[in-house]
Amino acid sequence: MLLNEESGYFHQVPGWELNCAVAGAVLAELSLLSRIDTDMESLFLVDPTETGDPVLDPFLKEIAEAPHRRTARYWIERLAPRAESIIDRTLERLVGLNILEHHDGDFWTLARGAWESEPDGAAEEGTARQFTRTRIGRVIFSDEIPDPRDVIIICLVNTCDVFRYIFQLDEEAEERIEFICRMDLIGRSIAAAVVHNLAGPLLRRSALTKHIPKVKLRHVLLNPHLRSGNLPAIIAELAKEYGPVFELRPPFKEPMLFLVGPETNRWAHRHSRIYVRTKDYFADFEKVYGANGVLPSLDGADHFRLRKAISPAYSRGRLADQADVLYEYARNFMADWKVGDTYQARSLCRRMANAQISPLSVGVDSQDIFDDLSVYKERALTVKIMKAMPGFMLKTPGMKRRAATVDTLLKRIQSVHTTEQRAGCPRDLADDWLSLHGSDPQFVPQSNLRFALSAALVASVYLGDALSFAVYAMATQPELYERIRSEADALFGDGDPDGDAITGSSIDVTHRFLMEFLRMYPVVPGSMRTVMNSCVVEGYELPVGSNIFIASTASHYMKDVFPDPFSFDIDRYLPPRDEHKSPGYAPYGLGTHTCLGFRWMELQLAVNVLMIAHYFRLEVPAGYKFKFDPLPSMKPSKKLMFHIAEQHREIPV
């Protein structure tokens, strides 16, 4: 009933109110199953026999073991604090029944099959569609006699005051709802208990409970990880002393609140969409490209709508369908590598990523302008988001020249994306953006295409930096290098595999290797946000207007999340350890702004690592001491070099 398919989430009910409604639903379900009953005085046990439902039975047992009868209000209070786990298990069940679909970024939609199928095979209950809005709407807007389950649902939804989000209600409909809510004793009793608890301010977590500590600047300057530039490790070290929420006051800048650790990650993933927004940080950056309202700066329903519309272009499936082309581009790039040559790691890997992403996503070659595009983007991020340089640094003659390459790129893309020239070609990202603009120019205006189409190539920077981290990790661990090469030889030994064949089972070692390097060398250490609704996180109140940094990858370096965090250990991801299943593992971001193309990125990273291992042995020159260059995103220092030490086989080009 609460699902808002426009925003991909749920109509918001204040936390305690929703918890009370969920607790009421548990009691109502037990009543309908004839396990409990209620009168105006108390709630009492009828049958202690387990229902077989793992959500209901723990609460039934608790009621059965109570030494005295209690009121429904009492049990509402007892169950409400555990509502979140009930909601989680219920959502999992609805996904399992193919009624809801869960999407990356923690979005939800009604599954397509739910419009035709019947939940639990119970035809008398009606279809899934009827089970939600249609069935309840029919009861409200007609004289139809509702069944007891409908009465209880209507009581609970009405108590939470969310019918106004779901239906257009006139006075007659509101009177009908009130009449229905008086029809059933259990419904009235539970609704009354919910109303009573909603009025109990002492039960709400709204007051400031802890003072946010302020980090002393000397503790930053003396941090043992400052010299290596390891920003997540720096923040993790500060959290050991200051806790999961602390304030940092950089010189000449606005104060910043840091959220650190697995529990703040959990909060950010599930609840941040309600309390924080992104556009404050991104607005100035998108203006550099003449855009307004691009995907990274949007929140809420607009963000979900655009993300849903463009997501096929970033899917793993689209890349897997063109795996043969991906292999060809990778081989063409490596064909010039000669044993004995030495390359700067960062530049080499960025250009290798761009040699693949540019033709695959926008249909053109951009190697000749890629350096200018990436330098301009990094300068814009440094000036407009990091605020680490004054504004005029974007207007120097060199930056103006580099800015012009964005228009050069757009002209190339538009020149090849005509109907005739795209005939018979696989659909790419540019096709999708141009199609969205053509069908709804208000939703995707022409002014936003400059950013959207060039951002595809900017992704080469992030993917290239991730690849340089991966190659460094492989080159400095010969035993792992050999195990990855064995998997690569098995895959490519008898010809090129289909894209769908590159799975966790076929590349077990490589897959776990990639997970571990993403933990130790995250490209994006966290995200900046602005608090738009005050909230309490881990006992700390975040005031409206606060600038926050959600340090999602700092937990990668916390001993209680990842034991011995500075050791490269791919066995972390095997049962029973499964350390990646903690909310502390977040290499792709959190919540609604989780990286849209991370599955594409995983496949492309895997292919590149495997093909490098299949053809070459790369080394890092002796004596190199690894350092990060952390701004505006994490990347290896310019001093990291890759030496082509050996070629295993000829490259067919």
Side-chain angles (χ1 to χ4, degrees):
M1 289 295 291
L2 294 179
L3 181 63
N4 180 351
E5 290 193 82
E6 289 186 3
S7 69
Y9 203 56
F10 301 91
H11 293 292
Q12 290 307 303
V13 178
W16 182 254
E17 298 179 23
L18 180 60
N19 289 358
C20 288
V22 171
V26 168
L27 298 182
E29 192 70 39
L30 289 172
S31 172
L32 291 168
L33 293 173
S34 301
R35 297 305 195 272
I36 63 171
D37 205 346
T38 186
D39 54 33
M40 299 309 294
E41 300 296 328
S42 64
L43 181 148
F44 51 90
L45 183 71
V46 174
D47 181 359
T49 306
E50 290 187 351
T51 66
D53 188 321
V55 172
L56 299 178
D57 286 339
F59 302 116
L60 175 61
K61 182 180 179 183
E62 193 169 333
I63 294 170
E65 292 177 351
H68 307 290
R69 282 191 181 186
R70 300 285 189 174
T71 63
R73 293 176 181 177
Y74 170 87
W75 288 110
I76 291 284
E77 292 177 12
R78 287 292 299 267
L79 300 184
R82 287 176 274 175
E84 189 167 304
S85 65
I86 299 171
I87 292 170
D88 286 344
R89 299 188 74 166
T90 301
L91 289 173
E92 290 175 4
R93 177 183 295 174
L94 290 171
V95 170
L97 291 171
N98 197 33
I99 291 173
L100 288 183
E101 287 184 358
H102 181 247
H103 304 272
D104 293 333
D106 210 30
F107 292 103
W108 304 82
T109 56
L110 196 63
R112 180 173 298 178
W115 299 100
E116 296 89 20
S117 63
E118 297 170 353
D120 295 329
E124 68 275 8
E125 293 281 346
T127 67
R129 181 181 183 183
Q130 292 171 324
F131 191 73
T132 53
R133 291 178 181 81
T134 302
R135 200 180 83 193
I136 299 303
R138 191 172 62 237
V139 172
I140 291 173
F141 296 105
S142 74
D143 294 330
E144 181 178 316
I145 298 174
D147 97 348
R149 185 178 296 275
D150 294 341
V151 172
I152 291 169
I153 291 173
I154 290 170
C155 285
L156 294 174
V157 173
N158 187 54
T159 300
C160 291
D161 190 27
V162 293
F163 271 129
R164 57 197 171 93
Y165 297 124
I166 302 170
F167 302 118
Q168 292 288 330
L169 298 178
D170 55 21
E171 186 175 342
E172 182 179 352
E174 290 178 349
E175 290 178 357
R176 169 71 173 170
I177 289 172
E178 293 299 327
F179 172 75
I180 293 170
C181 290
R182 295 193 296 269
M183 292 178 67
D184 183 82
L185 182 60
I186 183 71
R188 293 207 308 271
S189 178
I190 292 173
V194 172
V195 169
H196 171 79
N197 279 288
L198 297 185
L202 293 178
L203 295 177
R204 303 187 186 210
R205 275 180 47 182
S206 59
L208 174 63
T209 56
K210 298 178 184 178
H211 176 72
I212 297 177
K214 295 180 175 59
V215 174
K216 297 177 180 178
L217 186 58
R218 64 183 176 86
H219 287 176
V220 178
L221 298 177
L222 295 175
N223 193 291
H225 306 293
L226 187 63
R227 185 179 294 273
S228 66
N230 190 337
L231 185 58
I234 292 171
I235 298 172
E237 190 74 20
L238 292 173
K240 284 167 59 178
E241 180 172 356
Y242 292 97
V245 179
F246 56 80
E247 181 180 270
L248 185 62
R249 292 176 175 264
F252 312 112
K253 291 187 178 181
E254 292 290 321
M256 180 78 72
L257 299 181
F258 283 73
L259 275 57
V260 190
E263 292 310 312
T264 62
N265 278 8
R266 188 192 305 275
W267 175 87
H269 189 68
R270 297 197 53 176
H271 304 297
S272 63
R273 74 182 78 207
I274 305 167
Y275 300 106
V276 303
R277 61 174 175 252
T278 63
K279 69 176 184 179
D280 300 65
Y281 286 99
F282 223 83
D284 285 346
F285 178 74
E286 65 181 1
K287 287 177 183 176
V288 170
Y289 290 85
N292 181 37
V294 297
L295 186 64
S297 68
L298 291 174
D299 294 294
D302 288 339
H303 175 82
F304 175 63
R305 181 186 171 199
L306 185 54
R307 185 183 178 102
K308 188 176 180 182
I310 203 65
S311 61
Y314 291 92
S315 69
R316 177 189 173 101
R318 181 168 289 188
L319 181 61
D321 288 343
Q322 299 182 71
D324 56 335
V325 181
L326 177 62
Y327 304 149
E328 178 186 349
Y329 290 142
R331 288 191 178 105
N332 287 342
F333 188 86
M334 293 188 293
D336 294 331
W337 295 2
K338 306 297 181 186
V339 174
D341 287 349
T342 300
Y343 299 92
Q344 187 202 60
R346 203 158 85 190
S347 175
L348 178 74
C349 291
R350 285 182 176 185
R351 295 184 72 83
M352 184 170 183
N354 183 67
Q356 302 159 23
I357 287 180
S358 185
L360 283 169
S361 62
V362 294
V364 299
D365 177 70
S366 61
Q367 288 281 287
D368 60 319
I369 59 174
F370 172 67
D371 288 342
D372 285 338
L373 288 168
S374 59
V375 169
Y376 182 67
K377 167 260 177 186
E378 290 197 325
R379 177 65 60 86
L381 285 173
T382 304
V383 171
K384 296 298 185 180
I385 292 185
M386 305 300 298
K387 312 292 185 185
M389 287 183 176
F392 73 83
M393 294 298 290
L394 257 179
K395 299 178 180 179
T396 63
M399 284 300 118
K400 288 181 179 179
R401 177 181 59 79
R402 291 182 174 95
T405 59
V406 178
D407 295 315
T408 300
L409 174 66
L410 256 65
K411 289 176 182 177
R412 290 183 185 180
I413 295 171
Q414 291 170 337
S415 69
V416 300
H417 280 78
T418 63
T419 303
E420 283 301 313
Q421 292 185 76
R422 294 299 295 166
C425 298
R427 193 172 183 85
D428 65 15
L429 177 66
D431 290 324
D432 287 346
W433 278 119
L434 293 169
S435 175
L436 281 172
H437 166 64
S439 61
D440 193 344
Q442 186 175 20
F443 183 46
V444 180
Q446 184 178 349
S447 58
N448 284 5
L449 293 177
R450 194 168 185 266
F451 175 88
L453 295 174
S454 61
L457 300 196
V458 168
S460 304
V461 173
Y462 295 110
L463 182 61
D465 291 344
L467 180 60
S468 63
F469 285 139
V471 175
Y472 168 78
M474 186 167 65
T476 53
Q477 299 177 91
E479 182 182 347
L480 266 177
Y481 203 145
E482 187 60 30
R483 293 173 69 185
I484 292 169
R485 185 164 78 89
S486 295
E487 289 187 335
D489 292 349
L491 271 174
F492 291 95
D494 296 322
D496 291 342
D498 291 336
D500 294 333
I502 302 177
T503 63
S505 57
S506 65
I507 56 166
D508 173 60
V509 172
T510 306
H511 177 66
R512 288 186 285 120
F513 165 81
L514 294 176
M515 293 179 71
E516 180 68 344
F517 104 77
L518 286 167
R519 180 192 70 82
M520 287 195 68
Y521 309 105
V523 175
V524 180
S527 52
M528 296 180 179
R529 300 287 187 265
T530 302
V531 178
M532 62 182 180
N533 293 306
S534 62
C535 52
V536 177
V537 180
E538 289 292 283
Y540 299 89
E541 184 175 17
L542 309 184
V544 171
S546 299
N547 300 318
I548 66 172
F549 185 82
I550 302 170
S552 51
T553 62
S555 49
H556 291 190
Y557 286 93
M558 291 181 163
K559 293 180 181 178
D560 55 338
V561 184
F562 294 98
D564 196 8
F566 292 92
S567 294
F568 198 97
D569 181 4
I570 69 171
D571 292 340
R572 297 180 188 278
Y573 311 105
L574 291 174
R577 293 172 66 180
D578 288 327
E579 294 172 17
H580 60 295
K581 294 183 178 180
S582 159
Y585 185 75
Y588 298 112
L590 296 163
T592 57
H593 285 272
T594 299
C595 175
L596 181 59
F598 80 89
R599 297 188 189 280
W600 171 303
M601 178 178 175
E602 286 178 336
L603 178 57
Q604 192 170 354
L605 274 173
V607 166
N608 279 270
V609 167
L610 288 163
M611 294 189 76
I612 289 173
H614 184 57
Y615 290 107
F616 294 97
R617 180 169 62 84
L618 274 59
E619 293 180 344
V620 174
Y624 172 75
K625 188 172 179 62
F626 184 85
K627 286 186 178 182
F628 288 96
D629 183 350
L631 298 177
S633 58
M634 302 278 284
K635 49 193 173 291
S637 70
K638 290 182 178 179
K639 293 183 179 180
L640 177 60
M641 302 289 175
F642 291 147
H643 178 70
I644 311 296
E646 183 181 356
Q647 183 168 352
H648 301 303
R649 51 184 53 81
E650 292 296 320
I651 299 178
V653 177

Short mmCIF file of all heavy atoms in Angstrom, two decimals, residues 394-423:
data_model
loop_
_atom_site.label_atom_id
_atom_site.label_comp_id
_atom_site.label_asym_id
_atom_site.label_seq_id
_atom_site.Cartn_x
_atom_site.Cartn_y
_atom_site.Cartn_z
N LEU A 394 39.60 27.53 -13.25
CA LEU A 394 38.87 26.87 -14.34
C LEU A 394 38.84 27.74 -15.60
O LEU A 394 38.32 27.31 -16.62
CB LEU A 394 37.44 26.55 -13.91
CG LEU A 394 37.09 25.11 -13.54
CD1 LEU A 394 35.64 25.01 -13.13
CD2 LEU A 394 37.40 24.14 -14.66
N LYS A 395 39.36 28.95 -15.49
CA LYS A 395 39.26 29.88 -16.61
C LYS A 395 40.61 30.27 -17.18
O LYS A 395 40.73 31.25 -17.92
CB LYS A 395 38.50 31.13 -16.14
CG LYS A 395 37.08 30.83 -15.69
CD LYS A 395 36.36 32.07 -15.20
CE LYS A 395 34.95 31.75 -14.74
NZ LYS A 395 34.24 32.95 -14.24
N THR A 396 41.63 29.53 -16.85
CA THR A 396 42.95 29.79 -17.42
C THR A 396 42.93 29.42 -18.91
O THR A 396 42.06 28.66 -19.37
CB THR A 396 44.02 28.95 -16.71
OG1 THR A 396 43.73 27.56 -16.92
CG2 THR A 396 44.04 29.24 -15.21
N PRO A 397 43.86 29.94 -19.70
CA PRO A 397 43.88 29.60 -21.14
C PRO A 397 43.92 28.09 -21.39
O PRO A 397 43.25 27.59 -22.31
CB PRO A 397 45.15 30.30 -21.64
CG PRO A 397 45.33 31.45 -20.70
CD PRO A 397 44.87 30.97 -19.36
N GLY A 398 44.68 27.38 -20.58
CA GLY A 398 44.76 25.93 -20.76
C GLY A 398 43.44 25.24 -20.51
O GLY A 398 43.05 24.31 -21.23
N MET A 399 42.71 25.69 -19.46
CA MET A 399 41.42 25.09 -19.15
C MET A 399 40.37 25.44 -20.21
O MET A 399 39.52 24.62 -20.54
CB MET A 399 40.96 25.53 -17.77
CG MET A 399 41.67 24.84 -16.62
SD MET A 399 41.46 23.03 -16.64
CE MET A 399 43.17 22.49 -16.84
N LYS A 400 40.42 26.65 -20.73
CA LYS A 400 39.48 27.03 -21.80
C LYS A 400 39.70 26.16 -23.04
O LYS A 400 38.75 25.76 -23.71
CB LYS A 400 39.65 28.50 -22.14
CG LYS A 400 39.12 29.44 -21.06
CD LYS A 400 39.28 30.90 -21.47
CE LYS A 400 38.72 31.85 -20.41
NZ LYS A 400 38.89 33.27 -20.79
N ARG A 401 40.97 25.89 -23.33
CA ARG A 401 41.27 25.02 -24.49
C ARG A 401 40.73 23.62 -24.24
O ARG A 401 40.14 23.00 -25.14
CB ARG A 401 42.77 24.98 -24.71
CG ARG A 401 43.20 24.03 -25.84
CD ARG A 401 44.70 24.00 -26.02
NE ARG A 401 45.39 23.58 -24.82
CZ ARG A 401 45.50 22.29 -24.45
NH1 ARG A 401 44.95 21.33 -25.18
NH2 ARG A 401 46.17 21.97 -23.36
N ARG A 402 40.91 23.12 -23.02
CA ARG A 402 40.43 21.77 -22.70
C ARG A 402 38.90 21.72 -22.68
O ARG A 402 38.30 20.70 -23.05
CB ARG A 402 41.01 21.31 -21.37
CG ARG A 402 42.52 21.06 -21.42
CD ARG A 402 43.04 20.57 -20.08
NE ARG A 402 44.45 20.19 -20.18
CZ ARG A 402 45.46 21.00 -19.87
NH1 ARG A 402 45.22 22.26 -19.46
NH2 ARG A 402 46.70 20.58 -19.98
N ALA A 403 38.27 22.79 -22.22
CA ALA A 403 36.80 22.82 -22.22
C ALA A 403 36.24 22.68 -23.62
O ALA A 403 35.17 22.09 -23.83
CB ALA A 403 36.31 24.12 -21.58
N ALA A 404 36.97 23.20 -24.61
CA ALA A 404 36.50 23.12 -26.00
C ALA A 404 36.46 21.69 -26.51
O ALA A 404 35.70 21.38 -27.44
CB ALA A 404 37.40 23.97 -26.89
N THR A 405 37.24 20.80 -25.90
CA THR A 405 37.23 19.41 -26.36
C THR A 405 35.90 18.72 -26.04
O THR A 405 35.56 17.71 -26.68
CB THR A 405 38.39 18.61 -25.73
OG1 THR A 405 38.27 18.63 -24.29
CG2 THR A 405 39.73 19.20 -26.12
N VAL A 406 35.16 19.23 -25.06
CA VAL A 406 33.83 18.67 -24.77
C VAL A 406 32.93 18.86 -25.99
O VAL A 406 32.21 17.94 -26.39
CB VAL A 406 33.21 19.33 -23.52
CG1 VAL A 406 31.81 18.76 -23.26
CG2 VAL A 406 34.10 19.12 -22.30
N ASP A 407 32.97 20.04 -26.59
CA ASP A 407 32.17 20.29 -27.79
C ASP A 407 32.68 19.47 -28.98
O ASP A 407 31.88 19.02 -29.81
CB ASP A 407 32.20 21.78 -28.13
CG ASP A 407 31.52 22.62 -27.06
OD1 ASP A 407 30.43 22.22 -26.60
OD2 ASP A 407 32.10 23.65 -26.66
N THR A 408 33.99 19.28 -29.05
CA THR A 408 34.55 18.43 -30.11
C THR A 408 33.99 17.01 -30.00
O THR A 408 33.59 16.40 -31.00
CB THR A 408 36.08 18.38 -30.00
OG1 THR A 408 36.61 19.70 -30.13
CG2 THR A 408 36.68 17.48 -31.08
N LEU A 409 33.94 16.51 -28.78
CA LEU A 409 33.39 15.17 -28.55
C LEU A 409 31.93 15.11 -28.97
O LEU A 409 31.51 14.16 -29.66
CB LEU A 409 33.53 14.79 -27.08
CG LEU A 409 32.88 13.47 -26.66
CD1 LEU A 409 33.58 12.29 -27.33
CD2 LEU A 409 32.92 13.30 -25.14
N LEU A 410 31.14 16.10 -28.59
CA LEU A 410 29.72 16.09 -28.93
C LEU A 410 29.49 16.10 -30.43
O LEU A 410 28.62 15.39 -30.95
CB LEU A 410 29.02 17.30 -28.29
CG LEU A 410 28.16 16.98 -27.06
CD1 LEU A 410 29.03 16.46 -25.92
CD2 LEU A 410 27.38 18.18 -26.61
N LYS A 411 30.28 16.88 -31.15
CA LYS A 411 30.14 16.92 -32.61
C LYS A 411 30.44 15.56 -33.22
O LYS A 411 29.76 15.12 -34.15
CB LYS A 411 31.06 18.00 -33.18
CG LYS A 411 30.62 19.42 -32.87
CD LYS A 411 31.63 20.45 -33.39
CE LYS A 411 31.21 21.87 -33.03
NZ LYS A 411 32.21 22.87 -33.46
N ARG A 412 31.46 14.87 -32.69
CA ARG A 412 31.79 13.54 -33.21
C ARG A 412 30.64 12.56 -32.97
O ARG A 412 30.27 11.78 -33.85
CB ARG A 412 33.06 13.01 -32.53
CG ARG A 412 34.33 13.73 -32.93
CD ARG A 412 35.54 13.10 -32.27
NE ARG A 412 36.76 13.85 -32.54
CZ ARG A 412 37.96 13.53 -32.08
NH1 ARG A 412 38.12 12.45 -31.32
NH2 ARG A 412 39.01 14.27 -32.38
N ILE A 413 30.10 12.61 -31.77
CA ILE A 413 29.02 11.68 -31.42
C ILE A 413 27.80 11.94 -32.29
O ILE A 413 27.20 11.01 -32.85
CB ILE A 413 28.66 11.81 -29.93
CG1 ILE A 413 29.84 11.36 -29.05
CG2 ILE A 413 27.43 10.98 -29.60
CD1 ILE A 413 29.65 11.65 -27.57
N GLN A 414 27.41 13.20 -32.42
CA GLN A 414 26.23 13.53 -33.20
C GLN A 414 26.41 13.20 -34.68
O GLN A 414 25.46 12.81 -35.36
CB GLN A 414 25.89 15.02 -33.02
CG GLN A 414 25.40 15.34 -31.61
CD GLN A 414 25.30 16.83 -31.35
OE1 GLN A 414 25.96 17.63 -32.01
NE2 GLN A 414 24.47 17.21 -30.38
N SER A 415 27.65 13.28 -35.17
CA SER A 415 27.88 13.02 -36.59
C SER A 415 27.70 11.55 -36.95
O SER A 415 27.41 11.23 -38.11
CB SER A 415 29.29 13.48 -36.98
OG SER A 415 30.28 12.65 -36.39
N VAL A 416 27.88 10.66 -35.99
CA VAL A 416 27.75 9.23 -36.30
C VAL A 416 26.45 8.63 -35.77
O VAL A 416 26.14 7.47 -36.06
CB VAL A 416 28.94 8.42 -35.73
CG1 VAL A 416 30.24 8.90 -36.33
CG2 VAL A 416 28.99 8.46 -34.21
N HIS A 417 25.69 9.41 -35.00
CA HIS A 417 24.44 8.88 -34.45
C HIS A 417 23.24 9.40 -35.24
O HIS A 417 22.32 10.03 -34.70
CB HIS A 417 24.32 9.20 -32.96
CG HIS A 417 25.12 8.29 -32.10
ND1 HIS A 417 26.48 8.41 -31.95
CD2 HIS A 417 24.77 7.19 -31.37
CE1 HIS A 417 26.93 7.45 -31.15
NE2 HIS A 417 25.91 6.70 -30.80
N THR A 418 23.27 9.10 -36.53
CA THR A 418 22.12 9.35 -37.38
C THR A 418 21.44 8.01 -37.64
O THR A 418 22.02 6.94 -37.41
CB THR A 418 22.56 9.97 -38.72
OG1 THR A 418 23.39 9.03 -39.42
CG2 THR A 418 23.33 11.26 -38.49
N THR A 419 20.21 8.07 -38.11
CA THR A 419 19.43 6.84 -38.32
C THR A 419 20.15 5.87 -39.25
O THR A 419 20.25 4.66 -38.95
CB THR A 419 18.05 7.19 -38.89
OG1 THR A 419 17.38 8.10 -38.01
CG2 THR A 419 17.21 5.93 -39.05
N GLU A 420 20.68 6.37 -40.36
CA GLU A 420 21.31 5.49 -41.33
C GLU A 420 22.61 4.90 -40.79
O GLU A 420 22.89 3.72 -40.97
CB GLU A 420 21.59 6.26 -42.62
CG GLU A 420 20.36 6.46 -43.50
CD GLU A 420 19.74 5.13 -43.91
OE1 GLU A 420 20.49 4.22 -44.34
OE2 GLU A 420 18.51 4.99 -43.79
N GLN A 421 23.42 5.73 -40.14
CA GLN A 421 24.72 5.25 -39.67
C GLN A 421 24.60 4.30 -38.48
O GLN A 421 25.50 3.50 -38.25
CB GLN A 421 25.62 6.44 -39.31
CG GLN A 421 26.02 7.26 -40.53
CD GLN A 421 27.01 8.36 -40.18
OE1 GLN A 421 28.18 8.09 -39.96
NE2 GLN A 421 26.52 9.58 -40.12
N ARG A 422 23.51 4.38 -37.74
CA ARG A 422 23.32 3.47 -36.61
C ARG A 422 22.55 2.21 -37.00
O ARG A 422 22.36 1.32 -36.18
CB ARG A 422 22.56 4.18 -35.47
CG ARG A 422 23.33 5.33 -34.84
CD ARG A 422 24.62 4.86 -34.21
NE ARG A 422 24.40 3.96 -33.07
CZ ARG A 422 25.33 3.21 -32.53
NH1 ARG A 422 26.57 3.21 -33.02
NH2 ARG A 422 25.06 2.44 -31.50
N ALA A 423 22.10 2.14 -38.23
CA ALA A 423 21.34 0.96 -38.67
C ALA A 423 22.19 -0.30 -38.53
O ALA A 423 23.31 -0.37 -39.01
CB ALA A 423 20.90 1.14 -40.12
#
